[in-house]
Every structure is written in structure tokens, then in C-alpha cells.
Amino acid sequence: MAVKLINGRGQVGLILSQIIKNLDFKHEIYLYHTWNIDDKNRTTQRIEYDKFINFVNENKNKKIVFISTKSEKDSWYVYYKQMSESYLLQNCDDCLILRFPTILGSKGTMQLLKQNKIEPYGIMELMPLEEVATKIINALNYFGKSKIISFEGQKISAILASEILKI
């Protein structure tokens, strides 16, 4: 059976779509990697949540792997990601939630820092795109009792990261 990447937006999705072409598993696996990370307002995030709920309801008898976030930032993005995790755990017996730190890519937080569109604050936990993709693929073979796996990235102060980006 195949791994089906649901939407697969962004840079990680592009890498995953190439890797999963050659994968074969005993059971069909749905890899849910679709979410609007650019617009974090309540309405947009609620729409993403509703899409996820509909997807789970239509596929609750399949294995669903949900790509989520380790962020604890007080935002509608984090709120609805956590609500989605909860819904998945309660409504799908064969599921897995993968929580990742900030992903290093050509868009997102690091680019906003580089462009001086946000102020550096606190400690950042970062992981490169390729490492994220590798960890996702490796997790597809996980069949343990725990349904949530959190991955550690490299920690750096946001001020130092901002200074490095200026070089």
C-alpha cells in the first residue's frame, strides 16, 4: 500500500512527495501535511481545523499521521493545531501526531527575521527541511503505544539568529 500525502504544501511537502513515491507499506497511510501557516488569524485557522475534522471523519478507519507543531505560542495557529491533535486522538484508533519545532526554509520565521519583519525574542528551536522529512518518513514505521512524538531541534537565541542572518 502507498503513503498518501494530503496536499503537502510547502517545502517539506515537496521533499516528501519525492520520497514517498518509492515507499510501500502493508497498510495505506495518510500523511496530513496541509495547513495555512501564513495567515494565523482566527477565521483562517478555523477553516483549516474544519478541513482537518472533515478529513478525519472520512478516513478514521485508516492510519492518519498528522504533522503538527511544538510551538506553545499563544496564537490561533497553535490553538487549532492542538484542537486538531485532540480530535484525531479521540476519533482515530490508528493515528500518530508528529510535533516539529520551527522548520528552516526559504519562508517562515527565519525569513521574517532576515527581512526585519519581526523582532527577535526568546529561544528558537530550529530543524532543517531535510531532517524534518527524514524524521517523518522514519516515523511511518512506528507502531508503539504513544500517539504523539515530539522532535528536538537545535536551540539558539532569536537575537543571535537574527545577527547571523545579517552577515
Side-chain angles (χ1 to χ4, degrees):
M1 290 283 194
V3 176
K4 293 188 178 183
L5 181 61
I6 307 306
N7 188 310
R9 287 185 187 167
Q11 299 166 83
V12 173
L14 185 62
I15 295 169
L16 288 172
S17 64
Q18 296 303 311
I19 295 172
I20 65 172
K21 286 180 184 177
N22 301 318
L23 296 179
D24 192 31
F25 289 89
K26 290 181 183 178
H27 306 286
E28 196 167 51
I29 300 173
Y30 287 97
L31 184 53
Y32 197 92
H33 176 66
T34 179
W35 207 273
N36 187 332
I37 62 167
D38 298 321
D39 184 354
K40 294 190 171 62
N41 77 56
R42 185 179 193 167
T43 302
T44 299
Q45 295 304 310
R46 177 62 195 225
I47 290 168
E48 294 299 322
Y49 172 74
D50 290 341
K51 285 193 290 190
F52 181 73
I53 298 309
N54 289 335
F55 177 81
V56 171
N57 289 340
E58 292 170 7
N59 297 286
K60 62 175 64 177
N61 295 323
K62 307 260 177 28
K63 179 168 184 149
I64 299 174
V65 178
F66 179 52
I67 308 305
S68 194
T69 181
K70 277 183 67 178
S71 178
E72 295 178 5
K73 187 175 181 180
D74 188 22
S75 71
W76 290 114
Y77 170 78
V78 171
Y79 174 83
Y80 281 112
K81 279 281 195 161
Q82 291 176 350
M83 293 294 288
S84 296
E85 290 178 5
S86 176
Y87 190 85
L88 181 62
L89 289 170
Q90 294 176 47
N91 292 281
C92 180
D93 292 333
D94 193 6
C95 68
L96 183 61
I97 296 163
L98 305 178
R99 290 182 178 163
F100 288 96
T102 299
I103 300 170
L104 277 174
S106 63
K107 62 185 236 180
T109 303
M110 292 302 283
Q111 290 304 312
L112 294 174
L113 268 177
K114 187 175 185 177
Q115 298 163 0
N116 294 316
K117 292 185 178 179
I118 60 172
E119 291 293 319
Y121 173 80
I123 302 296
M124 299 179 74
E125 187 175 351
L126 307 169
M127 186 177 286
L129 291 165
E130 294 78 15
E131 186 176 350
V132 170
T134 299
K135 290 188 180 300
I136 291 170
I137 296 303
N138 290 342
L140 297 178
N141 290 311
Y142 173 80
F143 295 99
K145 290 178 185 63
S146 179
K147 298 296 182 185
I148 300 174
I149 300 174
S150 294
F151 297 99
E152 298 290 322
Q154 299 297 315
K155 294 181 181 172
I156 184 172
S157 82
I159 292 172
L160 179 58
S162 182
E163 289 300 315
I164 291 170
L165 291 170
K166 291 178 185 175
I167 296 174

